[in-house]
Each structure stands twice: as structure tokens, then as C-alpha cells.
């Protein structure tokens, strides 16, 4: 499996994992208004499962707790489940990979990168590349050679970095990985999830190009339900308000005047609705997917609250998905 580490199959039955998830779901945060108005996010989290990770730098602790849960899930799965959910773990670890590249760009210390990778499910091959004490172009060249899915990219990452910087590299890696996932046969629930995810990423990309009046044509990801012709027509119109109708049709949520915060949160809420529906339709795969998604959203929302603790609470509330 590309990107991910290969572990021994412990042979746990699926019912065993489902029972464990039912118990662990009780620890997901529920009273988000209380968290939102907490004067000390770190202090609040000390009474939760985040406590052992946030004594130092809370933002890192939130990420570490998320990584720990992903690692636990991965190791509890049998070989069949790891195959089914491989795309979800790969997409989650994409965030780890991109974070390490940003550290390299800022000339971060090797110990900082090793800290990020401590709970990562990335393969040892990829971890070794990211841990190299080399400049970013060389790291990107090594990833080109060793990360199989990147062979689908028409240009090398180091060349993309020279012409478009790290943002262009991140977009290329994300697009290439998601298109690789969609070209592989997968479980219907996982395929539907990634269709919704790709649509959301494309709509956010469209919004940013319109909002910031970018001249370069965006590279939309193929594999979504929203056709590129629809996205391109709105892009050509240069009318940001048309995003509202597209989001409502895609998610069922009306966002009013589009803004970065409510566009992203509406799209993520739309995915949440799809995932909840999948759990009703598929009590095993759907339940596991919903738990992974809810934990991702929890870590995301906590990070927003931590970094935005001095921003008006009503503004922050718009960014939260819970």
C-alpha cells in the first residue's frame, strides 16, 4: 500500500473493532459551546484524553492525540479492513507529509520532524526521506523516486517547487494522491466519501480563485460529482455569489454571503451528513468511517479554537463544524 507502513495482521475480527469504537465514541467532545467559551482551552483539555499531550505546546498535542487515535485504529484493524480504509489513512497522513515539507522549507530541526513522525503511519521509506537533513528540493526529488503515486504527476516536484513554490507542490501532491485513490477499486462507502471530499476541495479552490481574483486557472481534481464544466463556467463568470447555489445544491446548506469560513464549514458539514447516512446504510464500514471523520473534525475544530482564542466567538463559531 503506497505511503503507509506495513504491519503484521493480528487477525482481530471486525466485530471486535466495532465494539471498541462504540466505547471510544463516548469520549468524543460534545459540549462545543463550553469549549468555545472556555477561557483556557489547554486547561479544559486537561480533563480529556488530550491531557497527556498538551502539557507542552497544545497545538502539537492536538495533532499528536489525533495521530495516536489513527495509529490505534490502524493497528486494531485486520488486513481486510486496512485495505478498505487504506485511502482514508493515506489522506490523513498526507497532512503529516505536507507538514514535514513545511518544516524543511523553514529549515526546521531534524528533531522537530522526528517528533511529528513519531505517531505517523507513513512507511519507513517515506519517513526516512522526510527525516533527511537536506534542502527541500532534494527531499522532493527523493519523494518523486520513492512515492509510487507521484509517478502519475507529469512534472517533478522539485521543478514544480522552483516555478510555483511549496503551495503548488502541496496542491500537486494532494491532487495526484486523490486521483490515484479514485482510479483504484474501493468499497462503495469509501468511494462516495472521496467523491464528496474532492467536490468540496474543488469548490473551495474555486471560491479562493474568485475571492482573491487569481489569474492562473485552477487545477481541479478529477473524480468528483460536480463536473469541471460547471466549475469552469462559474470561474468564467467571475461571480462569487454563484458559489452559494453550488454549495446549497451540493450540501443542502445555505451559506448566505460566501466567506472562507462558512464555505469550508458548510462543505465539511455536507460530508458529515453523507457519512452519517453511510453509517445507517452500512453498520460496519459506515460506523468506522464516521468515527474516523468525527475524530478528524474534532482535532480540526480544537486547532481552530486554540489559534483563534482571541477572535470574536461568533466569528469562530462559523468555522466550526460540530
Amino acid at each position: 500500500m503506497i505511503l503507509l507502513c506495513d504491519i503484521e495482521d493480528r487477525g482481530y475480527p471486525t466485530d471486535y473493532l466495532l465494539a471498541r469504537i462504540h466505547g471510544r465514541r463516548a469520549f468524543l467532545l460534545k459540549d462545543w459551546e463550553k469549549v468555545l467559551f472556555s477561557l483556557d482551552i489547554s486547561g479544559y483539555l486537561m480533563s480529556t484524553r488530550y491531557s497527556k499531550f498538551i502539557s507542552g505546546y497544545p497545538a502539537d498535542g492536538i495533532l499528536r492525540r489525533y495521530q495516536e487515535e489513527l495509529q490505534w485504529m490502524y493497528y486494531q484493524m485486520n488486513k481486510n479492513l486496512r485495505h478498505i480504509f487504506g485511502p482514508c489513512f493515506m489522506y490523513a497522513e498526507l497532512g503529516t507529509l505536507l507538514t514535514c515539507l513545511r518544516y524543511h522549507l523553514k529549515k526546521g530541526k531534524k528533531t522537530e520532524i522526528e517528533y511529528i513522525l513519531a505517531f505517523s503511519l507513513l512507511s519507513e521509506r517515506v519517513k526516512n526521506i522526510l527525516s533527511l537533513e537536506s534542502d527541500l528540493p532534494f527531499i522532493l526529488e527523493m519523494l518523486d523516486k520513492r512515492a509510487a503515486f507521484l509517478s502519475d504527476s507529469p512534472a517533478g516536484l522539485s521543478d514544480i517547487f522552483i516555478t510555483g513554490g511549496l503551495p503548488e507542490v502541496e496542491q500537486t501532491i494532494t491532487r495526484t494522491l486523490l486521483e490515484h485513490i479514485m482510479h483504484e477499486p474501493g468499497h462503495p462507502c469509501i468511494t462516495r466519501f472521496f467523491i464528496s471530499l474532492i467536490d468540496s476541495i474543488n469548490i473551495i479552490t474555486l471560491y479562493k480563485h474568485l475571492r482573491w481574483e487569481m489569474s492562473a486557472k485552477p487545477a481541479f481534481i478529477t473524480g468528483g460529482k460536480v463536473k469541471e464544466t460547471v466549475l469552469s463556467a462559474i470561474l468564467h463568470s467571475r461571480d462569487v455569489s454563484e458559489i452559494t447555489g453550488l454549495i446549497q445544491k451540493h450540501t443542502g446548506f445555505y451559506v448566505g454571503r460566501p466567506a472562507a469560513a462558512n464555505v469550508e464549514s458548510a462543505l465539511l458539514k455536507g460530508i458529515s451528513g453523507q457519512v452519517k447516512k453511510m453509517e445507517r446504510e452500512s453498520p460496519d464500514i459506515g460506523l468506522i468511517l464516521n468515527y474516523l471523520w468525527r475524530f478528524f473534525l474534532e482535532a480540526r475544530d480544537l486547532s481552530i479554537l486554540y489559534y483563534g482564542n482571541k477572535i470574536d466567538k461568533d466569528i469562530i463559531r462559523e468555522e466550526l463544524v460540530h
Side-chain angles (χ1 to χ4, degrees):
M1 186 177 297
I2 62 172
L3 276 186
L4 302 179
C5 63
D6 189 19
I7 64 172
E8 182 182 351
D9 186 3
R10 299 182 180 183
Y12 295 140
T14 300
D15 287 345
Y16 161 81
L17 178 59
L18 296 176
R20 297 293 302 275
I21 289 176
H22 276 295
R24 293 172 85 92
R25 287 209 296 191
F27 293 98
L28 288 166
L29 298 178
K30 298 177 180 64
D31 191 350
W32 283 91
E33 284 295 302
K34 186 175 181 179
V35 184
L36 177 63
F37 287 96
S38 174
L39 298 177
D40 180 12
I41 297 294
S42 301
Y44 180 88
L45 293 178
M46 286 301 295
S47 62
T48 70
R49 287 195 169 191
Y50 289 85
S51 59
K52 69 178 181 178
F53 292 113
I54 63 169
S55 57
Y57 189 51
D60 281 348
I62 293 169
L63 173 61
R64 289 290 289 267
R65 174 70 187 100
Y66 173 61
Q67 288 181 316
E68 180 194 50
E69 195 67 13
L70 285 180
Q71 187 182 75
W72 178 85
M73 291 278 289
Y74 192 73
Y75 275 77
Q76 302 305 304
M77 288 182 174
N78 54 46
K79 185 176 181 180
N80 183 54
L81 284 179
R82 284 201 306 275
H83 176 74
I84 291 173
F85 284 95
C88 299
F89 288 109
M90 285 191 287
Y91 184 72
E93 288 298 336
L94 177 65
T96 306
L97 188 153
L98 298 182
T99 298
C100 290
L101 295 183
R102 292 176 200 134
Y103 269 82
H104 275 288
L105 182 65
K106 297 177 181 178
K107 307 296 182 182
K109 298 178 181 178
K110 182 177 180 180
T111 53
E112 294 176 317
I113 293 176
E114 289 176 342
Y115 179 85
I116 296 170
L117 294 173
F119 281 90
S120 173
L121 293 170
L122 289 171
S123 68
E124 288 303 313
R125 173 182 290 182
V126 175
K127 283 184 179 180
N128 290 337
I129 294 172
L130 295 174
S131 299
L132 291 172
E133 294 184 283
S134 304
D135 59 17
L136 184 55
F138 181 77
I139 299 295
L140 295 175
E141 285 182 15
M142 294 299 293
L143 284 175
D144 267 332
K145 294 176 181 177
R146 302 298 176 85
F149 76 97
L150 289 173
S151 61
D152 297 333
S153 178
L157 292 180
S158 58
D159 293 333
I160 293 172
F161 175 71
I162 292 172
T163 58
L166 187 56
E168 189 69 28
V169 169
E170 293 179 349
Q171 292 171 23
T172 299
I173 294 175
T174 301
R175 183 177 65 255
T176 306
L177 177 62
L178 287 173
E179 290 179 352
H180 176 90
I181 287 172
M182 292 305 295
H183 286 150
E184 298 293 318
H187 188 279
C189 285
I190 306 302
T191 299
R192 285 166 57 192
F193 169 77
F194 276 98
I195 288 173
S196 293
L197 182 63
I198 289 171
D199 283 336
S200 296
I201 293 173
N202 283 340
I203 292 172
I204 291 171
T205 298
L206 172 63
Y207 169 78
K208 289 179 177 178
H209 272 71
L210 291 177
R211 177 67 180 81
W212 296 326
E213 299 180 345
M214 297 179 179
S215 57
K217 182 180 179 181
F220 295 117
I221 303 169
T222 61
K225 189 176 181 180
V226 180
K227 296 183 180 299
E228 186 171 345
T229 52
V230 173
L231 298 169
S232 296
I234 296 176
L235 180 67
H236 182 71
S237 74
R238 313 304 296 178
D239 187 355
V240 177
S241 65
E242 289 196 33
I243 296 287
T244 299
L246 183 60
I247 292 173
Q248 187 169 14
K249 181 178 180 181
H250 180 62
T251 69
F253 291 98
Y254 178 71
V255 298
R257 186 176 182 179
N262 60 18
V263 166
E264 182 176 7
S265 61
L267 290 167
L268 293 177
K269 288 175 182 177
I271 295 176
S272 293
Q274 289 289 324
V275 172
K276 288 177 183 176
K277 183 178 180 181
M278 291 179 211
E279 181 175 351
R280 294 192 295 269
E281 296 171 352
S282 176
D284 48 5
I285 303 303
L287 183 144
I288 298 171
L289 178 62
N290 193 18
Y291 181 68
L292 284 169
W293 179 246
R294 288 177 63 188
F295 211 95
F296 161 76
L297 292 179
E298 180 176 289
R300 171 198 178 272
D301 286 358
L302 282 175
S303 295
I304 289 173
L305 288 173
Y306 176 75
Y307 284 113
N309 64 336
K310 295 182 181 179
I311 301 176
D312 182 272
K313 301 300 183 183
D314 289 331
I315 296 176
I316 289 295
R317 185 186 282 108
E318 285 191 358
E319 294 194 47
L320 304 182
V321 180
H322 286 91

